[in-house]
Amino acid sequence: MTKLIVKGGVPLKGTVKISGAKNSSLPIIAASLLSDGINIIEDVPDLEDVKVMCDVLEALGASIEKDKGTLKINSKNISEHEAPYDLVRKMRASFLVMGPLLARRGKAKISMPGGCAIGTRPIDLHLKGFSALGAEIIFGHGYIEASAPKLKGAKIYLDFPSVGATENILMAASLAEGKTVIENAAEEPEIVDLANCLNAMGAKIRGAGTDIIKVEGVKELRNVCHSVIPDRIEAGTFMVAAAITQGDVFIENVLPDHIKPVSAKLKEAGVFVREEQKGVHVRADDRPKSVDIKTLPYPGFPTDLQAPMMALMTLAEGTSVIIETVFENRFMHVDELKRMGANIKIQGRTAVVEGKPYLSGAPVKATDLRAGAALVLAGLAAEGITYVDNVYHIDRGYERFEEKLNSLGADITRAD
């Protein structure tokens, strides 16, 4: 099992460039199934999740050329409508091919999806949307089958602003007959990026980035060349990394509007944060002050940065209260932080963090993607050496994570 060996106590200094957004790349790769030809997607991060999504498309009959962050996806010869179990079980986002397959081929068969065990992420909202568009849904033997000779526009209200459901319905509705209205839609920047890509392909989508999205279905979509937006979660992670090590870091390729919740909380904690034309400058000269955090759908504080911020709060002056409202099992990193000396108490979806002057390096295990990043950050600030196991979680969502941190002065090695 691969692990990261993190030597703590070194303030991070220098400049780091943020990669393209994982959570934009995955649905945009899936959206390439909607057109009959070659789509070019630029600034795609080299991640395990991206590789899995590409494998899913190739299993469906697409051909993909990869060259330094650019994917050329030829979907002309899509011959299958079933996404294989061995791939879908690795990553929940594989389920995003169902909407495009339904729209393009009139049928789709997907195994129940897998992914990080951070809590219940039901696909019922996806299926509710497909049903409203006229698809017949059948469950059996671990698979979900959907079929519709022709999808028809409808008004769809989402009980929760699910990002995945919004994306899947958006893609399916782009080729549906008539008008679709998605109410209580997710507002994340990645939704806007997907909509911009689809509109460049000829779709007629209005309202992306608000809670009501309107889609006028078109008969076909053309090929496109699209650049993925920067990864706001990676940007936030490096902002916290600078703060937790009392470092001085300039983070390039950042859209400041996308990281406002993180900037606000870091400033509240006494960290210097300055948004500049080409990125954001983060500097910490002392221990942070305690702040309270409540995760919410965008534009609230992102659940994906709850674990890194908790790591920062373990070293804060005072007591912090962190409330997780999005995923019920997203405190699995707490026991690992406690192994490093953190003082955290959990009650339901609330964590009370009493800050301490220091953490101690220890063997820990990444329980999910963002928890893994948080443990590396804690290790950077801890006294001694931290061994982070289950690194494959981190590789799913961070491109060259330890390489980028080492370029800022960290001392991290990868070993079996």
Side-chain angles (χ1 to χ4, degrees):
M1 186 72 72
T2 305
K3 64 180 64 180
L4 293 179
I5 303 170
V6 185
K7 294 182 181 179
V10 179
L12 299 184
K13 294 184 179 180
T15 300
V16 65
K17 186 176 181 180
I18 298 304
S19 302
K22 173 183 90 99
N23 292 334
S24 272
S25 298
L26 300 179
I28 289 171
I29 291 170
S32 66
L33 293 170
L34 291 166
S35 70
D36 185 6
I38 298 175
N39 291 293
I40 299 173
I41 309 172
E42 299 174 334
D43 295 332
V44 179
D46 184 16
L47 304 172
E48 286 301 316
D49 276 8
V50 169
K51 291 175 184 176
V52 171
M53 184 61 89
C54 289
D55 289 343
V56 171
L57 262 65
E58 288 178 331
L60 295 170
S63 61
I64 301 177
E65 295 179 23
K66 306 172 186 178
D67 182 29
K68 295 178 182 178
T70 298
L71 299 180
K72 291 183 178 180
I73 304 175
N74 189 339
S75 300
K76 183 177 180 63
N77 299 314
I78 296 299
S79 54
E80 300 291 333
H81 67 276
E82 179 179 334
Y85 164 76
D86 283 345
L87 295 175
V88 178
R89 71 180 177 84
K90 295 180 180 179
M91 183 183 67
R92 293 191 62 83
S94 306
F95 199 74
L96 289 172
V97 300
M98 180 165 261
L101 283 176
L102 256 181
R104 173 89 181 270
R105 293 186 53 83
K107 55 185 176 180
K109 183 178 180 181
I110 315 286
S111 72
M112 295 293 286
C116 281
I118 57 175
T120 304
R121 290 183 284 178
I123 55 173
D124 57 336
L125 295 180
H126 300 241
L127 303 181
K128 175 183 178 180
F130 296 147
S131 294
L133 294 171
E136 179 185 0
I137 311 293
I138 300 173
F139 295 87
H141 307 289
Y143 280 82
I144 302 165
E145 293 186 62
S147 60
K150 181 62 181 177
L151 296 174
K152 296 185 183 297
K155 179 178 280 191
I156 301 165
Y157 177 83
L158 298 179
D159 299 318
F160 178 82
S162 161
V163 174
T166 301
E167 292 168 341
N168 231 340
I169 296 167
L170 197 58
M171 290 187 282
S174 294
L175 290 179
E177 196 175 88
K179 185 176 181 179
T180 298
V181 179
I182 308 172
E183 297 181 331
N184 198 30
E187 302 177 31
E188 273 73 2
E190 294 79 13
I191 301 288
V192 178
D193 201 20
L194 172 62
N196 288 341
C197 178
L198 291 170
N199 283 339
M201 296 170 75
K204 295 180 179 179
I205 300 167
R206 291 182 295 124
T210 73
D211 63 349
I212 298 179
I213 302 177
K214 298 177 181 179
V215 186
E216 191 71 45
V218 298
K219 290 186 177 180
E220 63 180 11
L221 294 174
R222 57 181 174 264
N223 302 320
V224 72
C225 179
H226 181 82
S227 295
V228 173
I229 61 172
D231 195 314
R232 63 192 172 95
I233 305 303
E234 184 191 12
T237 301
F238 276 92
M239 291 170 72
V240 177
I244 200 170
T245 62
Q246 296 180 27
D248 188 347
V249 178
F250 186 76
I251 302 160
E252 290 182 327
N253 196 32
V254 178
L255 296 177
D257 281 352
H258 294 176
I259 56 168
K260 279 183 177 178
V262 192
S263 297
K265 283 299 173 184
L266 287 177
K267 289 176 182 178
E268 190 180 331
V271 177
F272 171 85
V273 179
R274 184 174 65 202
E275 296 164 357
E276 300 181 10
Q277 187 174 0
K278 293 185 178 181
V280 59
H281 182 193
V282 181
R283 185 183 73 244
D285 300 320
D286 211 338
R287 286 177 64 191
K289 301 171 186 174
S290 60
V291 296
D292 295 339
I293 296 166
K294 183 177 183 179
T295 65
L296 291 166
Y298 191 86
F301 192 89
T303 180
D304 282 348
L305 288 173
Q306 176 256 106
M309 279 298 290
M310 184 182 289
L312 178 64
M313 289 300 98
T314 63
L315 292 167
E317 294 181 1
T319 300
S320 308
V321 177
I322 299 175
I323 302 173
E324 173 61 57
T325 72
V326 181
F327 294 122
E328 70 271 21
N329 290 343
R330 206 151 206 180
F331 283 152
M332 292 191 294
H333 50 280
V334 167
D335 286 341
E336 303 304 309
L337 288 172
K338 284 182 176 180
R339 290 174 58 82
M340 302 178 70
N343 189 343
I344 307 170
K345 294 179 180 178
I346 300 292
Q347 185 172 2
R349 292 195 175 198
T350 300
V352 179
V353 185
E354 186 178 326
K356 300 180 66 175
Y358 64 90
L359 296 175
S360 300
V364 292
K365 179 174 67 175
T367 52
D368 62 74
L369 167 55
R370 307 305 175 183
L375 293 172
V376 172
L377 267 53
L380 290 172
E383 295 181 353
I385 300 176
T386 299
Y387 301 87
V388 183
D389 215 338
N390 286 4
V391 173
Y392 69 89
H393 281 303
I394 299 172
D395 294 339
R396 287 183 48 233
Y398 290 93
E399 183 178 43
R400 307 191 319 274
F401 192 45
E402 71 266 29
E403 180 183 324
K404 289 184 178 183
L405 288 169
N406 284 342
S407 73
L408 298 173
D411 188 345
I412 306 174
T413 54
R414 182 176 288 241
D416 292 326

